Structure formats: C-alpha cells, structure tokens
C-alpha cells in the first residue's frame, strides 16, 4: 500500500514543473554554469567542493523546508488526512509515502550532480565516499524532520510555506550555502555548525575533499534527527 501511495505521490510531484525544476533542474544548472566558470579540472581551491555541495544542499533545503511541509499541511487543511483515518489505510502511510518520494528525489538529484559534475564538467567525485554517504543520509534525515515539525505546527499550507521559507533562508545564509563558509565571519560559521543545512553542507564538503566529516557535524545532524523526529511525532495533527 505504501509503495502504491508513493508511486501516486511521485506522479503528483512530476506534474509540478516548478518543483521538478527547483529540485532537479536548478542544482544541475548550478554545477554546469559555475563549473564552466572556474574550470574545476585545474582549480585546486576549496570552490571545487563548494559548488557541487552547494547544489545538493540547495535542493535538499527546497525539498525538506518548502515542498514537504507545504504538501503535508495542505493535505491536512483539505481534510485528506482526516478522511484517510476513516479508511483501512492509516494516515501515516501518506506521510511515509511523501517522505519516501522526497528521499528518492534527493538521491536522484545527488547522483545527477555527482555524475554530470564529474564526467561532463570535471569536478572530482567525493574522495571519502563512506563519509559522504553518511553525511548525505544524516543530513537528509535531519532536514526532513525539521520539515515535518513545520508541517506539524503550521495551521495551513500557506503558513507552512511562510515558516518554511524563514527557516530556509536562515539555513541558507548562515549555513554557508549562499556564500562559502570561507568568506563568512567566524560567528556565522559557528551558528552554521549547529544548523541542519550548515552541518550537512560542511560534512559533505569535508568528505568531498577526502576528510571524514567532523564528529561535531555528525552529532548535530543525528541530534536534530532524533529531537525533531520525536517532536514531529508528538505534535503532528491529522485534522
């Protein structure tokens, strides 16, 4: 049943060109356009890990902080979750299906960025693959749980969009996505270390350059996943 619902949610996702463009098309455009500007095959600066990492982080933020909470809040506002509660299909199945689709899109986007970035543009692949996969999984989970909390507390779809955008821009600004952390003040970098997107991007960039992600960033992502996951489970309303 969850697989069937996930397939339905995926078809609904494909019917929204703006969502597909923002989560799959724009990260690819970032990698290609900036890759052509800096010539990653000869550039040895930290920008070689920044642009592909930024493309992935941007898409993860859109998926988790904008699309996921808005969709779920709209489902509740329209009574879809309440109606499901009167059928043999538990409403939680729809949540799991939506999260599964979002994770599949995130994984596909990451593969596109890595493969196209490497074979077409010349970016290196993550040198510490195990660390990169760990950072990606923990980062995605931490961001998704934040999105679920937004969906849980937002009274409407519009409110979820507004709250999500506020959290989105805070993470993008202090997390080293809009601007490389190398150029940010130390106090902003310190704040970014404890934000889900900042910890995720920094951990992925560390792994991309060949270093295992720092324990601090792994701990931040794991803690956010547990704390916000429990909060979402306790706060989420079906109607």
């Amino acid at each position: 049943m969850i697989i069937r619902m996930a397939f339905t949610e995926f078809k609904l996702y494909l019917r929204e060109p703006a969502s597909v463009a923002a989560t799959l098309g724009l990260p690819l455009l970032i990698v290609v356009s900036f890759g052509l500007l800096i010539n990653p095959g000869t550039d040895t600066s930290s920008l070689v890990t920044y642009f592909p990492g930024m493309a992935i982080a941007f898409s993860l933020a859109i998926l988790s902080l904008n699309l996921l909470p808005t969709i779920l809040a709209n489902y509740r506002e329209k009574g879809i979750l309440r109606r499901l509660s009167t059928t043999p299909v538990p409403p939680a199945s729809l949540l799991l299906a939506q999260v599964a689709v979002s994770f599949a899109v995130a994984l596909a986007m990451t593969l596109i960025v890595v493969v196209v970035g490497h074979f077409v543009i010349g970016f290196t692949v993550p040198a510490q693959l195990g660390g990169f996969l760990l950072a990606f999984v923990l980062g995605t989970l931490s961001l998704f749980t934040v999105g679920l909390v937004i969906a849980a507390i937002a009274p409407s779809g519009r409110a979820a969009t507004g709250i999500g955008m506020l959290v989105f821009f805070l993470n993008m600004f202090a997390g080293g996505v809009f601007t490389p952390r190398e150029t940010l003040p130390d106090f902003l970098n310190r704040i970014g270390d404890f934000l889900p997107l900042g910890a995720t991007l920094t951990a992925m960039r560390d792994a991309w350059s060949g270093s295992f992600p720092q324990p601090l960033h792994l701990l931040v992502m794991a803690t956010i996943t547990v704390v916000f996951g429990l909060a979402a489970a306790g706060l989420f309303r079906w109607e």
Side-chain angles (χ1 to χ4, degrees):
M1 181 59 68
I2 293 180
I3 295 177
R4 185 181 302 174
M5 295 183 75
F7 183 69
T8 301
E9 290 297 309
F10 182 66
K11 289 194 294 184
L12 292 174
Y13 162 78
L14 292 178
R15 291 176 185 173
E16 294 291 338
S19 299
V20 176
T23 55
L24 294 177
L26 194 52
L28 180 60
L29 179 63
I30 290 172
V31 168
V32 172
S33 58
F34 284 104
L36 293 175
L37 286 175
I38 69 171
N39 190 11
T42 57
D43 196 324
T44 59
S45 70
S46 59
L47 291 178
V48 173
T49 65
Y50 167 66
F51 287 116
M54 180 261 283
I56 294 172
F58 177 84
S59 184
L60 287 178
I62 290 288
L63 277 169
S64 59
L65 303 178
N66 297 127
L67 295 183
L68 181 63
T70 299
I71 290 171
L72 294 179
N74 277 328
Y75 282 167
R76 183 176 58 238
E77 185 178 10
K78 294 176 181 178
I80 295 174
L81 298 180
R82 177 177 52 80
R83 289 196 294 269
L84 274 177
S85 65
T86 64
T87 70
V89 180
S93 298
L94 183 58
L95 268 68
L96 292 174
Q98 183 57 231
V99 170
V101 169
S102 297
F103 191 87
V105 171
L107 182 60
M109 171 273 303
T110 302
L111 288 173
I112 290 172
V113 168
V114 173
V115 172
V116 174
H118 178 64
F119 290 103
V120 178
I121 304 302
F123 284 105
T124 60
V125 297
Q128 174 55 257
L129 184 58
F132 179 81
L133 292 175
L134 180 60
F136 171 78
V137 172
L138 280 178
T140 302
L141 290 176
S142 65
L143 285 161
F144 280 4
T145 56
V146 173
L148 289 174
V149 168
I150 295 173
I153 65 175
S156 65
R158 286 187 176 182
T161 300
I163 298 171
M165 290 301 292
L166 178 64
V167 178
F168 171 84
F169 281 110
L170 172 63
N171 275 266
M172 294 286 285
F173 177 68
V177 182
F178 280 148
T179 306
R181 63 181 287 124
E182 291 88 347
T183 64
L184 291 175
D186 288 340
F187 80 93
L188 274 183
N189 282 328
R190 194 58 178 168
I191 293 173
D193 285 337
F194 293 92
L195 294 176
L197 193 61
T200 301
L201 176 56
T202 304
M204 287 194 300
R205 290 187 63 189
D206 286 343
W208 217 301
S209 64
S211 302
F212 196 79
Q214 298 177 37
L216 170 64
H217 299 132
L218 297 178
L219 179 61
V220 166
M221 291 184 287
T223 301
I224 290 174
T225 299
V226 173
V227 173
F228 278 77
L230 292 174
L235 294 171
F236 202 90
R237 297 169 289 110
W238 303 112
E239 55 181 307

